[in-house]
Amino acid sequence: MKGGTTVHIVQRNHHTDGLIDPTNTSFGPGKLSGRTTVGRTYRLKRWVTDYWIWEFASWFTSALLLSGAILTLSIHQDQPLPEWPFGITINALISFLSSLSTSALVSVVAGVIGQGGWATLPSAKRPLLQLEVYDGASRGPMGSFLFLLQTRLSVSSIGPLIVIASLATAPFVQQITDIQLTDDAVDTATIFALRNYPDHGFEYQLKNPLTYDNVPNLVTSGFYQGLYFSGNLTDPFSRSLLQQRPTCSTGNCTYSEFDSLAVCSACANVTDQLSSFWKYGLVYWGLPNGFTAYVIDEITSGRRVVFTGGKYDPLTLRAGLPIVNITAIQPCQNSDGTTCGVIAQECMLYWCLNRYVSSVVQGVLYEDVVDTVKYGYTANFFRLENDTYVFQTNYTSQPAAPETYDKLNVSKWGSAALTNFIAPALTLEVISGSNIGTDALQAAVPPYSAFPGIPLNMNPVFEAMALSLTAAVRSYQNNETTLQLVTGQAFKQVPLLRVRWCWITLPVALHVASLLLLCYTALQTAGQRPVWKISVLATVFFGARIHKHLPDPVPNQLADMEALASNVDLCAMKRGLHT
């Protein structure tokens, strides 16, 4: 700068007084052109710059982009994922809008940080190095981090903090959306419930004993399916093989809670009721109901190891309408004729009334019995006295008024036919080492030659038979009063958009903080100092002012420039500008 040049000073009593002159109007647009359009353009540009119009516009653009992302999420919240052209997903759109919003916001904060460097220049002890620190902070997160390390916390620190926090905007936005599979009802599902179990063939065999012909083929096949079942009843898939096949078009269905007649099972250990006695030179084991068993070795037939009987009174188990009660004894005798233990068990199949909660999940039927009724009463419904057993829905866990009870009926003749079919199939002897006996009995009580290696346990077989018989009787349509069609809903899993709004707090907080910082900076610069922000031209022309006071030649290496900037005597520089 030439000698004698007067530099007006606004900020006084600082090391850099005279280096920045906000009142110098000696240079104007007239020196560039005499056209009035230039003056208008100049005034417009200065108005836009001095009043931070671009920065406010950028902030509002950023806020609009963020609002667009929020509006998009609000529209599609709890809705199926939209299908847009070119395979564009909603996550891609939200990420795109968020990236544009963050970029616009960071540009606003960069201008505020740059202006902060010029605003604090008059009070800086090392103004050139401070300009370098502010300039680095306006360029990105690394410079902002170094800014926080090299300066004290103040209002100027808010800008770098916003720049650093903006790095977390993208991860936060990615956490906003969550895709959840939700069941959507698309069809009607049905399942059968048994309301009345009739006497099959009553009209034709009224005067004859009830025989096998009275049992429908569907029910007999259900009995054998449970008897020979070799799967694991605790496995839902294996268990479903014994259950009925409801209609469920999607493989995922739910049904209304319903009542149905069913076949239930129970087993009890009655070993403590056994007594032994000698007869015909053999040890006999007997139970109070008259059932007896013995151990004998035969050269041709092997050793009798299990005896069962189906025509004996129950010892422990009780039910309103039993179908069959099987008593079994598994004796053991050593080769020298001494006894080595015995086990007795009784199992029962009986009619019951169950309340079900049913569902189909991925093609597998799940049925939970929420309550059951074992006892009812006998009534006259047909031509014979006491020919029907009536169950009422008087559940203990869901009490109701007697007049609201629902009544479901079992024909005692039809039940007797089922008894006459099942009892003989499970009444014989299982003999180890031979084929004497029946396949059905051996399926119920496998022949173990060594006792007490594996104790007698008929419970899994009876549970399987009860399950398969229930499925059979609930699937046989004898007439319009036999079955009830229970309806439900078939569901299809549909991906729905869930919005976790808590993750939007960071972008919103950054916008609020940047707006407050922008307003504060605009008020601070209004009419007090030039607004240079991060302009390269401002840096160049400021350097021209102090060029005469720098050593010649000016260093080329950045490290040399930093060393020189830390030793520049701005007080002498100021005095030189006034001479």
Side-chain angles (χ1 to χ4, degrees), residues 257-259 353-357 368-371 393 395 398:
E257 189 177 83
F258 62 92
D259 302 311
L353 171 62
N354 289 336
R355 176 158 289 179
Y356 290 96
V357 175
D368 294 325
V369 178
V370 296
D371 209 336
T393 55
Y395 298 110
Q398 302 177 10

Side-chain angles (χ1 to χ4, degrees), residues 29 33-43:
S33 172
R35 294 178 298 176
T36 57
T37 54
V38 176
R40 293 172 186 169
T41 303
Y42 170 79
R43 287 192 298 271

Side-chain angles (χ1 to χ4, degrees), residues 423-434:
L426 299 180
T427 303
L428 274 177
E429 302 174 2
V430 177
I431 302 177
S432 173
S434 75

Side-chain angles (χ1 to χ4, degrees), residues 88-109:
I88 298 175
T89 63
I90 191 170
N91 282 344
L93 178 61
I94 298 303
S95 179
F96 177 70
L97 293 176
S98 174
S99 298
L100 291 180
S101 175
T102 303
S103 298
L105 187 67
V106 170
S107 67
V108 174
V109 177

